[in-house]
Amino acid sequence: MKRIAFALACACLLLTGAADPSAAGGAADSYTKEDVRHLQSYLVGENTPSEPYDLNGDGVWDILDLALMKHSLAIAPEAGSDTIVVYFSQTGNTEKIAEYLTGLTGADVYEIEAAVPYSDEDIAYNNSGCRANLEQNDKSVRPEIASPIASLDGYDTVFLGYPIWWGQEPRIIDTFLESYDFSDKTVIPFCTSASSGISTSERNIAALVPIGEQLAGRRFAASASAADVQAWYEALPLTKEETAMQLQMKIGDTVLTASLADTAAAQELAEHLKAEPVTVELNEYGGFEKVGKLPWTLTRSDESTVTEAGDIMLYQGNQMTIFYNSNSWSYTKLGKVEGVTQEELAAILGDGNVTAVLSLQS
Ligand SMILES: Cc1cc2nc3c(=O)[nH]c(=O)nc-3n(C[C@H](O)[C@H](O)[C@H](O)COP(=O)(O)O)c2cc1C
């Protein structure tokens, strides 16, 4: 963001006087994200919008007008969007994920910036005395936010993005959370990190302030693609009217849909898949099943079972089997493939080993 501002400021210096903005009239009462895009394009020399963008009335359209426009948007978010992507990012990784999410959701976006900006030295975490490290070492620190968004009242859903700092959310995220009422909102954390997971920060967030519903968050690598973010977003249980969750299994080009069983293991599987899809390598076994190791151990409630084609079972707590024929053994039910005959299923699974990508569909 700072790099963009700098580039725009330079462009603005070059362009000042190149057009006569005052000819287009004064400032409008309210602005949209489209206006921001138009003004940005103008400032980098791409067009001259017909809208009046001289917000501070100084006769030129420049970076100050852009700043004022963005500020007015933050105070009065565009009507209609009930989702906002809020993020804090110091080296651009989390910002990139936030941009992908904004593109997918059409949500409003708000960047948390520190009132006292972090310098490179402030985040040089190899130096134990750097500002970020000192803040992370003290849970009570609440860095001030530069231009706090006036209200989150118009939003039901808040995506909250941040980098992991020493295994946790940066303290300025705590400042943000304590500044608003989240008791009727859905909050969805996401983060980027070198390698650490999101779970400690999720627990911190849940313990800090009352939140209507906090969905399972997601950690992204700095290299995460738009497709990674899309896959996560599409698996999120965001619809209020909960429809029954279904398991999806992509095998080759075929997507199979399965109902989930009423077992703890099936619920745990769904929870894992809510966070991200998983790929399972399934080996042919016995002429009646494909079996493969899951990345997790799930709760067993084994029962002696005579399986049918389409049954999806948990075997020994950490293996998944898909049956295309019958077998008698003790298994925990995970689900049942719907809408295909035994012959169709056998043909889809084929003779040898297969790769299944499991995801959740609501
Ligand atoms: C002060 C500080 C502490 C960090 N601590 C961790 C950490 O505990 N685990 C980790 O995997 N990455 C850690 N990182 C790396 C960042 O989480 C990672 O580079 C992140 O993608 C930066 O996001 P940003 O570009 O949005 O600021 C740390 C970075 C900084 C500046």
Side-chain angles (χ1 to χ4, degrees), residues 18-304:
D20 179 12
S22 57
D29 288 339
S30 62
Y31 297 92
T32 64
K33 284 180 282 189
E34 195 64 7
D35 289 312
V36 170
R37 276 191 289 275
H38 285 164
L39 182 52
Q40 282 177 345
S41 304
Y42 166 71
L43 292 177
V44 294
E46 286 173 2
N47 68 359
T48 303
S50 55
E51 305 299 322
Y53 288 152
D54 184 11
L55 278 76
N56 61 356
D58 65 357
V60 288
W61 301 353
D62 59 17
I63 194 78
L64 293 174
D65 298 308
L66 184 65
L68 287 169
M69 189 182 279
K70 286 188 168 179
H71 186 63
S72 78
L73 261 179
I75 291 169
E78 280 180 80
S81 177
D82 62 359
T83 301
I84 185 164
V85 177
V86 175
Y87 70 95
F88 173 70
S89 179
Q90 288 309 291
T91 55
N93 297 338
T94 313
E95 180 170 65
K96 187 185 71 174
I97 307 296
E99 283 169 2
Y100 290 150
L101 253 182
T102 313
L104 280 167
T105 56
D108 293 333
V109 64
Y110 168 69
E111 181 185 10
I112 299 172
E113 290 183 285
V116 179
Y118 289 86
S119 66
D120 289 347
E121 290 72 37
D122 287 342
I123 59 168
Y125 56 93
N126 289 331
N127 168 11
S128 58
C130 79
R131 173 181 166 195
N133 290 13
L134 295 177
E135 288 178 0
Q136 293 309 100
N137 282 336
D138 181 350
K139 277 207 152 207
S140 67
V141 170
R142 294 292 179 268
E144 193 185 333
I145 294 174
S147 305
I149 189 166
S151 166
L152 291 175
D153 284 354
Y155 300 105
D156 296 331
T157 303
V158 181
F159 284 91
L160 181 57
Y162 46 86
I164 294 294
W165 282 4
W166 294 108
Q168 303 182 29
E169 75 287 3
R171 299 284 169 243
I172 199 164
I173 294 295
D174 300 347
T175 311
F176 173 77
L177 285 164
E178 288 176 349
S179 303
Y180 305 94
D181 178 6
F182 292 91
S183 61
D184 63 348
K185 302 197 191 303
T186 299
V187 173
I188 309 159
F190 64 97
C191 72
T192 62
S193 74
S195 61
S196 299
I198 195 170
S199 51
T200 304
S201 66
E202 286 184 295
R203 283 195 295 276
N204 288 351
I205 290 169
L208 192 66
V209 292
I211 291 176
E213 187 180 17
Q214 183 176 333
L215 299 188
R218 170 75 187 266
R219 176 254 166 195
F220 292 96
S223 58
S225 65
D228 295 331
V229 177
Q230 181 166 5
W232 169 64
Y233 173 68
E234 287 177 354
L236 285 170
L238 277 171
T239 40
K240 286 271 169 357
E241 311 87 54
E242 290 265 325
T243 50
M245 293 286 183
Q246 289 194 307
L247 184 64
Q248 270 197 349
M249 290 189 295
K250 189 162 189 292
I251 297 171
D253 291 334
T254 309
V255 177
L256 294 170
T257 302
S259 55
L260 282 164
D262 190 14
T263 58
Q267 272 175 24
E268 289 162 10
L269 175 67
E271 281 304 315
H272 285 297
L273 295 178
K274 264 184 206 171
E276 59 184 330
V278 74
T279 301
V280 183
E281 303 297 338
L282 298 162
N283 297 320
E284 163 60 30
Y285 184 79
F288 50 81
E289 70 176 355
K290 305 286 181 192
V291 56
K293 197 157 183 281
L294 292 166
W296 335 273
T297 297
L298 307 176
T299 303
R300 290 171 76 164
S301 49
D302 289 352
E303 292 176 53
S304 180

